[in-house]
Amino acid sequence: MRKGIHPAYGPVVFRDRAANHTFLTRSTMSSDRTIDWADGNTYPVVDVEISDVSHPFYTGAARVLDTAGRVERFERRYGKRGGA
């Protein structure tokens, strides 16, 4: 890797505001705000709107859309396609 062209890579705390959950990881993101972590160190904190803790796909709260009958309803409304 070339020197001087890559952003700084270090520990950052991400805070999910929707679920009130924080996790420490490494990232190139930076922030002016900091947080005191459980290990006694101070890390930059980045607020995110959604993470694996609050995303409906990962929590199992995802809604399944009723797709049954959509094709039939379309064909009733606009007619069937002609065969090729």
Side-chain angles (χ1 to χ4, degrees):
M1 292 188 343
R2 290 183 8 199
K3 303 275 187 214
I5 64 168
H6 300 286
Y9 182 73
V12 176
V13 173
F14 286 93
R15 179 172 40 198
D16 182 353
R17 289 298 194 151
N20 197 21
H21 175 73
T22 56
F23 56 95
L24 177 66
T25 187
R26 294 178 57 85
S27 177
T28 58
M29 295 204 52
S30 61
S31 175
D32 296 334
R33 289 172 284 161
T34 60
I35 190 170
D36 294 326
W37 196 245
D39 63 3
N41 293 326
T42 301
Y43 298 107
V45 63
V46 176
D47 291 327
V48 293
E49 293 180 21
I50 198 161
S51 71
D52 65 324
V53 176
S54 61
H55 193 280
F57 178 79
Y58 294 108
T59 61
R63 292 178 288 160
V64 177
L65 296 175
D66 179 23
T67 58
R70 286 188 176 204
V71 172
E72 291 81 10
R73 200 166 45 233
F74 178 84
E75 288 176 347
R76 268 196 319 263
R77 190 175 296 163
Y78 301 107
K80 291 189 175 199
R81 288 179 53 172

